[in-house]
Amino acid sequence: MIIKTKKYQLPTGTYIKTGLKNVLKEQWWVILIALAICAGYFWIPSLWWIIGALIAYGLYVLFWAIQFTGVTQMEQNKTIFERLSYEIDSRQILMKLNTKQGMPVQWNMIKRAEVKKDAFILYMSKAQFIHLPFRIFNSDNERKFMETILKRKELIK
């Protein structure tokens, strides 16, 4: 069975928010570094340890936010944010710009997947993912079949 979706354009805000959440989730240990800097307060009591740690962590988050915002502005990444339709089966995900242009994504390129309350998110790397909201599927059966494929591929539990 092949799942054929409606055309969908990934909003840049959704890309930035989802990408930033993914990076902060994957690199959770950075907050431990900020806490270690805060612990310097016990060595030399000064409020500057805490202020410095908060500024450093804030700059870290700002760095990644700028990275994801920059991706949305680059010319070579414009195709990510165009209206695409998807053809999904157990072999691959075909991202189609139109009937003649498309790009296959093999399932082995997908590292993990998440089922959110309103979408499937298939992660390929920190900054690359496929966001498939439930509303682009033509029926509830197609959405359930997609979930079955993800379970078979052991991308979700």
Side-chain angles (χ1 to χ4, degrees):
M1 181 177 167
I2 296 177
I3 302 169
K4 293 184 179 185
T5 67
K6 299 172 190 168
K7 283 195 171 252
Y8 170 68
Q9 182 175 7
L10 177 64
T12 56
T14 303
Y15 174 79
I16 293 168
K17 188 174 16 169
T18 305
L20 194 56
K21 282 181 186 176
N22 183 40
V23 165
L24 295 178
K25 190 187 302 183
E26 277 188 18
Q27 297 184 349
W28 58 269
W29 49 268
V30 175
I31 196 81
L32 296 178
I33 295 170
L35 291 173
I37 294 170
C38 286
Y41 178 82
F42 299 113
W43 180 46
I44 301 173
S46 174
L47 199 55
W48 288 106
W49 289 105
I50 297 168
I51 293 169
L54 289 174
I55 289 172
Y57 189 70
L59 288 173
Y60 172 77
V61 172
L62 182 63
F63 167 78
W64 281 107
I66 291 169
Q67 293 294 315
F68 286 111
T69 304
V71 166
T72 64
Q73 304 301 315
M74 293 173 56
E75 189 62 37
Q76 62 260 35
N77 294 328
K78 289 293 182 192
T79 56
I80 298 171
F81 303 104
E82 290 182 8
R83 288 181 57 82
L84 301 171
S85 63
Y86 299 88
E87 288 186 10
I88 304 163
D89 60 23
S90 59
R91 294 175 293 128
Q92 67 185 4
I93 300 169
L94 184 60
M95 301 168 60
K96 293 176 71 173
L97 190 56
N98 54 41
T99 55
K100 295 180 182 175
Q101 292 178 309
M103 183 185 93
V105 176
Q106 301 299 323
W107 282 106
N108 61 0
M109 294 174 68
I110 308 293
K111 292 185 178 164
R112 65 185 175 89
E114 286 183 6
V115 181
K116 299 287 185 182
K117 65 179 180 180
D118 62 342
F120 293 108
I121 303 175
L122 311 175
Y123 294 99
M124 294 179 276
S125 69
K126 285 180 193 171
Q128 291 181 320
F129 56 87
I130 299 172
H131 184 267
L132 301 170
F134 294 157
R135 63 183 161 80
I136 69 170
F137 293 98
N138 294 313
S139 70
D140 204 35
N141 287 337
E142 287 185 348
R143 188 180 58 78
K144 288 177 182 175
F145 183 63
M146 174 71 178
E147 200 166 336
T148 304
I149 291 173
L150 293 175
K151 285 178 183 175
R152 271 193 224 143
K153 302 287 182 189
E154 296 179 358
L155 295 170
I156 60 172
K157 295 176 183 173

